Amino acid sequence: MDVESSKVAAMKAESPKKHKRRNICLGVTAAVILFIFMLLLILGLTVFRPKQPTTTVDSTSISDMKVSFDITRLRVDVNVRLDVDLSIKNPNKVSVKYKNSSAFLNYRGQVVGEAPIPAGKILADKTQPINVTVTLMADRLLSDSQLFSDVMAGAIPFNTLTKISGKASIFNLFNVHITSTSSCDLLVFVSNRTIGDQKCKYKTKL
């Protein structure tokens, strides 16, 4: 009996110690998890804070252009192919993946041409060049009487519009969605098949 009593007394004496050690382990584990979370949060708000990628139109050139007149109907047929060189700068410390996008050619507010921009990835602190060829869909201009006046005046006003959407993933925990848009107004001179100075506007939204 004395032996059994001593064992029970020893177990009771050890229980508080084990309970204390368990509490210490739980406390240390919780502190480490909290520290890691706070560290990731601080890095996410400082070093890895999402920044706005910018899309820039580096150049626009005419790769092909044909103009034919129908004087009797006061109509003109125009076929234009424009090469647009873009660059997207990613200032973030993480890569940005962008979805399938498009470049549009507009004439006086009407979409008259479209070209696909395949999905891709821009590495951290890098600039990605993108080359797009936009072809004018001549059938969309057949009923536009203003085109004849513009051609006779010697210059056709166009607008190129690109919109690229993607996301940046931070530590595979936070996804930041990004949309970058560029819009450029330009004049295509009919006589010498050249492009005048283009005025571009850029917009990025997080």
Side-chain angles (χ1 to χ4, degrees):
M1 293 291 294
D2 293 338
V3 175
E4 292 181 358
S5 299
S6 60
K7 287 183 178 180
V8 171
M11 291 177 63
K12 290 182 177 179
E14 290 177 359
S15 294
K17 293 181 180 180
K18 290 182 179 180
H19 184 68
K20 184 177 181 180
R21 285 197 299 267
R22 183 179 65 184
N23 288 342
I24 292 175
C25 290
L26 292 175
V28 171
T29 302
V32 171
I33 294 174
L34 180 61
F35 173 77
I36 294 175
F37 175 79
M38 292 301 297
L39 178 62
L40 294 177
L41 180 62
I42 292 172
L43 289 175
L45 295 175
T46 54
V47 178
F48 293 95
R49 182 179 180 180
K51 299 176 183 177
Q52 299 180 347
T54 54
T55 302
T56 304
V57 177
D58 299 317
S59 66
T60 304
S61 59
I62 299 174
S63 60
D64 186 38
M65 181 174 180
K66 295 178 182 178
V67 179
S68 60
F69 293 91
D70 188 341
I71 301 299
T72 58
R73 299 181 182 179
L74 294 180
R75 197 179 76 178
V76 60
D77 293 329
V78 178
N79 291 287
V80 178
R81 186 181 295 121
L82 299 179
D83 291 333
V84 182
D85 295 331
L86 308 169
S87 61
I88 307 176
K89 182 179 180 181
N90 176 21
N92 292 286
K93 299 301 180 182
V94 295
S95 61
V96 171
K97 294 181 179 179
Y98 58 91
K99 302 181 293 184
N100 288 325
S101 307
S102 297
F104 299 95
L105 180 65
N106 303 306
Y107 171 75
R108 296 192 178 278
Q110 178 185 0
V111 177
V112 295
E114 183 178 352
I117 300 177
K121 180 179 180 180
I122 311 171
L123 299 178
D125 289 321
K126 297 294 183 181
T127 299
Q128 177 77 27
I130 299 176
N131 302 316
V132 181
T133 298
V134 186
T135 302
L136 170 68
M137 300 175 187
D139 58 310
R140 298 191 181 184
L141 290 176
L142 291 178
S143 60
D144 198 317
S145 59
Q146 185 64 46
L147 179 63
F148 184 84
S149 300
D150 288 334
V151 172
M152 294 303 295
I156 309 173
F158 286 110
N159 168 271
T160 59
L161 176 67
T162 60
K163 184 177 181 180
I164 296 176
S165 300
K167 67 179 181 179
S169 180
I170 303 175
F171 303 125
N172 291 324
L173 296 176
F174 311 102
N175 288 326
V176 180
H177 295 274
I178 299 167
T179 301
S180 183
T181 305
S182 67
S183 176
C184 295
D185 296 324
L186 54 91
L187 285 175
V188 173
F189 294 110
V190 178
S191 59
N192 55 7
R193 277 42 173 186
T194 59
I195 294 178
D197 293 336
Q198 54 183 342
K199 298 178 181 179
C200 298
K201 297 180 181 179
Y202 305 103
K203 182 180 179 181
T204 303
K205 181 174 67 174
L206 293 175

